[in-house]
Amino acid sequence: MKALWQSEAIAKAVEGKASAHFSVRNVAFDSREIRDRDLFFALKGAESDGHRYVDVAFQNGAAGAVVMSPVPYPHILVKDSYQALKALGIASRKRNHGKIIGITGSVGKTSTKESLRLALERSAPGKVHYSLKSYNNHVGVPLSLARMPEDSRFGIFEMGMNHAGELSELTDIVRPDVALITAIAPAHAAFFKDETAIAEAKSEIFEGLSSGGIAIIPHDSPYRDLLTAKAKEKNAEIRSFGFEEGATIRAQNIVRESDGRVLITAAVRDRQLVFSMGMAAEHWVSNAMAVLAIVDAVGGDLALASLALGDITGFHGRGQRFDVPVGEGKATVIDESYNANPASMTATIKALENEPKDKRRIVLLGDMLELGRNSADYHRALADPLTHAEIDHVLLVGEEMKALAQDLAGKITCDWVADAGQAKEAISALLKADDILLIKGSNSLGLSAVVSSLSEKGCACSI
């Protein structure tokens, strides 16, 4: 396997001093993730110090480390290991000549990133680099950049934020050729005056666009004009995606098929594309339009991309489905446990309207966090989509969900529990054969534990 970095190049990029020659094939700051011939960054934070884990990193196979004090192993000595990580990410960006894509938004970032990865890999197998997990913050983004092979044809980087100014720093590191905003919604609303302020903060991604870069905007968003104006300040080419007339890439026609899939006719600038998707919910179709917009912008193969979109059946914590044996039959679980905000929660509940009418619909919803002073109102507002989707039983988890429990009284059968542990017990008693169970909530609530307990006795399945 070709080396990702040589010690001399690392030392030059981070303005450090190498103690010996070594080569590495990956980069990590968590000693538990270190494998043979990896580079370990000993980062020092307020509560932890990576220098305490240098021995562990080398026991796990590290070839070298970036440190702020000498160690008895091959290393590069720097003044600040975090700044060194940023510098290595910037150097990685500079040496790459492929197309770099930046993705942000209040909802759909990771699902769109993963879908785009699969779409581009159809025409460039082994040449698509992308952020792992949700490595989208001030540490994850430079780490993801530092990991990018020099000959990557495409680099896909997810960028997140919960305060104004954070995306400015990240996009300045990534310097995307194409920058996408998936949607604007009240995620992290506790840190912003209103949704307009959120839109302005998300628009910071356009600040880093390279010369001649392309900005891709959600056409149907009420903040379309604001986002367009921000992109024009950088002289970006503006493209859009959505469902309404005027979008550069638009879902013109959607036909629901008998097997639960959808047949989509998409207008992609001057051509039409017809393809089938297993992820039939409206927000997944919107994500698909965003993916096609990016593939078109980077000169990718749209036909192959549409085939990849047709094969997607969700991702772990984001729409993946599996069957669970219950009695003499089985129930279907829809895992949306990774995260939640008002927009994603509403869209996911709405998708249940398309499930078979003869099956009992159960939803397990956990708190939506960081919504600020209007949190109770955002939670109560879920009563309407739950009623519209004809949900049979609602199980609510967490203090914030008490407001919704009160609003649902007398409307839908509803139970409330304090935490994920109690939710696990309640679902075990509640679930019956042929049920459809949706699980969704903010990640820190730990509903993934409920999913894990169910998946241990279940099996993955497609729609």
Side-chain angles (χ1 to χ4, degrees), residues 127-208:
K127 297 297 181 180
V128 180
H129 178 73
Y130 59 99
S131 308
L132 292 177
K133 304 178 184 178
S134 287
Y135 280 176
N136 61 17
N137 64 7
H138 68 289
V139 176
V141 169
L143 174 69
S144 297
L145 270 168
R147 289 174 165 179
M148 179 168 61
E150 186 175 2
D151 62 349
S152 297
R153 283 183 55 191
F154 303 104
I156 310 170
F157 299 93
E158 179 182 337
M159 289 180 265
M161 64 92 198
N162 53 23
H163 291 86
E166 291 175 341
L167 272 178
S168 290
E169 180 180 350
L170 296 180
T171 193
D172 191 51
I173 298 171
V174 174
R175 307 296 296 177
D177 299 299
V178 179
L180 165 77
I181 295 178
T182 58
I184 303 298
H188 310 298
F191 308 118
F192 295 93
K193 180 177 67 175
D194 52 30
E195 277 192 40
T196 299
I198 294 174
E200 290 174 344
K202 291 295 184 185
S203 72
E204 292 171 11
I205 193 173
F206 301 138
E207 295 175 9

Side-chain angles (χ1 to χ4, degrees), residues 319-398:
Q320 194 170 67
R321 300 166 70 110
F322 58 91
D323 288 339
V324 176
V326 182
E328 298 298 318
K330 61 184 180 181
T332 298
V333 178
I334 304 172
D335 175 16
E336 287 276 1
S337 62
Y338 183 77
N339 223 333
N341 59 50
S344 65
M345 192 76 89
T346 299
T348 306
I349 293 169
K350 183 180 178 182
L352 291 175
E353 296 176 20
N354 301 317
E355 298 294 341
K357 302 293 184 183
D358 60 342
K359 294 181 179 290
R360 192 169 65 138
R361 303 172 187 185
I362 302 172
V363 295
L364 192 168
L365 303 181
D367 286 347
M368 299 180 291
L369 303 179
E370 297 183 350
L371 294 180
R373 63 183 183 277
N374 295 320
S375 179
D377 292 336
Y378 285 127
H379 284 80
R380 289 192 190 97
L382 297 177
D384 284 343
L386 287 168
T387 302
H388 244 289
E390 299 179 358
I391 302 303
D392 296 288
H393 199 121
V394 179
L395 178 62
L396 303 175
V397 187

Side-chain angles (χ1 to χ4, degrees), residues 17 51 69 71 90 171 288 300 302 334 357 367 369 377 445:
K17 184 177 181 180
H51 294 80
S69 56
V71 295
I90 291 169
T171 193
L302 287 167
I334 304 172
K357 302 293 184 183
D367 286 347
L369 303 179
D377 292 336
L445 206 64

Side-chain angles (χ1 to χ4, degrees), residues 101-109 111-113 178-184 205-206 214-225 227-228 237-252 264 266-269 275 282-297 302 309:
I101 301 146
I103 298 175
T104 193
S106 302
V107 293
K109 294 186 295 295
S111 296
T112 300
K113 176 201 71 181
V178 179
L180 165 77
I181 295 178
T182 58
I184 303 298
I205 193 173
F206 301 138
I214 297 174
I216 301 178
I217 290 166
H219 181 81
D220 307 336
S221 170
Y223 305 101
R224 178 184 67 209
D225 292 344
L227 299 177
T228 299
E237 178 183 342
I238 312 295
R239 299 188 187 180
S240 62
F241 68 95
F243 299 91
E244 298 176 2
E245 289 280 354
T248 314
I249 287 79
R250 180 168 73 93
Q252 283 183 315
I264 301 168
V268 183
R269 295 200 292 169
F275 63 101
E282 184 176 294
H283 58 292
W284 277 96
V285 177
S286 179
N287 290 348
M289 295 304 102
V291 167
L292 293 177
I294 296 174
V295 172
D296 182 51
L302 287 167
L309 291 172

